[in-house]
Amino acid sequence: MLPSFVLLLIFFITPMLLTILFSFTNLSLTGANASALQFVGFQNFAQMFRDPQLVQSIWNTLIFVVFSAIIGQCFFGFLIAFMMRGKNRTFRRIVGLIVIAAWVTPEVVVGFCWVAFLGDNGTLNMIAHSLLGIKPVAWLYTFPMVSVIIANIWRGTAFSMMIFQTALDDIPSEVEEAAVMDGATRWQSVTRITIPMVRGTIATNIMLVTLQTLGVFALIYTMTGGGPGNATSTLPVFMYKQAFVSYQLGYGTAISLVLLLIGALASLLYMRVLKVRI
């Protein structure tokens, strides 16, 4: 009991309390404020809520999380896991290795791979021009949010696939076979038996991928730097720019609390809507 509490105190509670403390200060990386830390009350929060970039960043974050994590990763993860049911072990291993290879690749590397693929002189433009004669498209400039969403789906689907694969393998085959014998179609079997039986797993997976995607930074920053303009500036990117580009660490930690609040609210919402105790 005591050792676990000490570990929580060192690695979780203390950093959390320091983050909250610094959000009420003028902490900076350079300049006079770097050597003269002062308590500024709610000044950082007042500045944050007057900043129009905050609203844009929250909106970008919600779009990125909903389409890349909740819809993209969960849907494709479930689809791949479902399609792999009943297949032989060799096939499952090959598909699993291909999908997991993307998941274990660092975000920065994934970002550079997608820049090489979607860049002005990238692979996609070369293929489209060679086969169809289409003029090169500046994908990362014209469709920046779509580009980072697709890249994050590509990278994160493996996690959902593994979660759903374990849950689907635990469903007794007799249950679904009995439904088919009673006249249920394939769609009815999936929607009325399979999905309800893995509802808890779906809730857990949505919660985990949401929290994971809320913190995605390197992938977006590598591909677009948050641009063009602020088109892909999610909260982690906005926080980084304020803390380490503008050197306002106190302001950056205040923004991080907004990100923490969104994550906590999302978790509570999932648990309440899906009526799952985790």
Side-chain angles (χ1 to χ4, degrees):
M1 182 80 179
L2 183 59
S4 61
F5 178 75
V6 171
L7 290 175
L8 281 176
L9 182 65
I10 295 174
F11 295 107
F12 183 77
I13 298 176
T14 301
M16 183 75 71
L17 293 177
L18 285 176
T19 301
I20 296 173
L21 174 64
F22 290 149
S23 68
F24 292 97
T25 68
N26 64 347
L27 181 65
S28 176
L29 278 178
T30 61
N33 292 339
S35 58
L37 183 66
Q38 292 182 348
F39 181 76
V40 296
F42 290 93
Q43 182 177 313
N44 287 328
F45 294 93
Q47 177 186 347
M48 182 172 58
F49 288 111
R50 289 195 303 268
D51 194 335
Q53 289 188 29
L54 176 70
V55 177
Q56 179 69 46
S57 298
I58 292 176
W59 180 243
N60 289 341
T61 303
L62 294 177
I63 292 175
F64 183 67
V65 170
V66 169
F67 286 97
S68 72
I70 299 175
I71 296 177
Q73 293 182 14
C74 288
F75 173 76
F76 287 106
F78 183 86
L79 184 64
I80 295 173
F82 187 79
M83 294 175 66
M84 290 175 65
R85 294 184 73 192
K87 301 294 187 297
N88 64 64
R89 183 174 297 179
T90 303
F91 177 80
R92 288 165 64 101
R93 284 182 176 176
I94 292 173
V95 174
L97 284 174
I98 293 173
V99 179
I100 292 173
W103 185 55
V104 299
T105 305
E107 281 186 21
V108 174
V109 178
V110 173
F112 278 116
C113 288
W114 277 92
V115 168
F117 183 70
L118 298 175
D120 296 352
N121 298 316
T123 309
L124 181 59
N125 278 331
M126 291 177 61
I127 294 174
H129 181 71
S130 301
L131 299 180
L132 305 173
I134 299 175
K135 294 182 179 178
V137 178
W139 300 102
L140 296 175
Y141 183 84
T142 309
F143 307 102
M145 183 55 79
V146 175
S147 300
V148 296
I149 285 174
I150 292 174
N152 195 49
I153 292 174
W154 182 83
R155 181 176 185 270
T157 295
F159 179 81
S160 297
M161 183 202 73
M162 289 187 291
I163 295 287
F164 288 129
Q165 200 171 35
T166 303
L168 292 174
D169 287 344
D170 288 340
I171 297 177
S173 59
E174 295 82 5
V175 177
E176 293 173 317
E177 290 173 0
V180 173
M181 292 179 65
D182 289 340
T185 62
R186 185 68 168 169
W187 174 253
Q188 289 173 331
S189 176
V190 172
T191 56
R192 298 183 183 181
I193 296 177
T194 306
I195 291 179
M197 292 188 74
V198 299
R199 189 181 66 176
T201 303
I202 294 174
T204 304
N205 184 65
I206 289 177
M207 188 184 304
L208 292 176
V209 296
T210 296
L211 297 178
Q212 185 181 41
T213 304
L214 278 174
V216 170
F217 163 75
L219 176 68
I220 299 174
Y221 201 76
T222 305
M223 290 181 66
T224 64
N230 295 313
T232 55
S233 179
T234 57
L235 278 173
V237 175
F238 180 48
M239 178 178 62
Y240 174 83
K241 288 182 176 178
Q242 298 303 318
F244 299 105
V245 177
S246 300
Y247 304 136
Q248 302 179 74
L249 281 179
Y251 187 41
T253 53
I255 298 171
S256 71
L257 292 183
V258 175
L259 189 61
L260 177 65
L261 179 63
I262 292 176
L265 291 176
S267 300
L268 292 174
L269 180 65
Y270 290 146
M271 294 173 68
R272 186 173 182 80
V273 171
L274 297 173
K275 299 178 181 179
V276 173
R277 298 183 63 184
I278 299 175

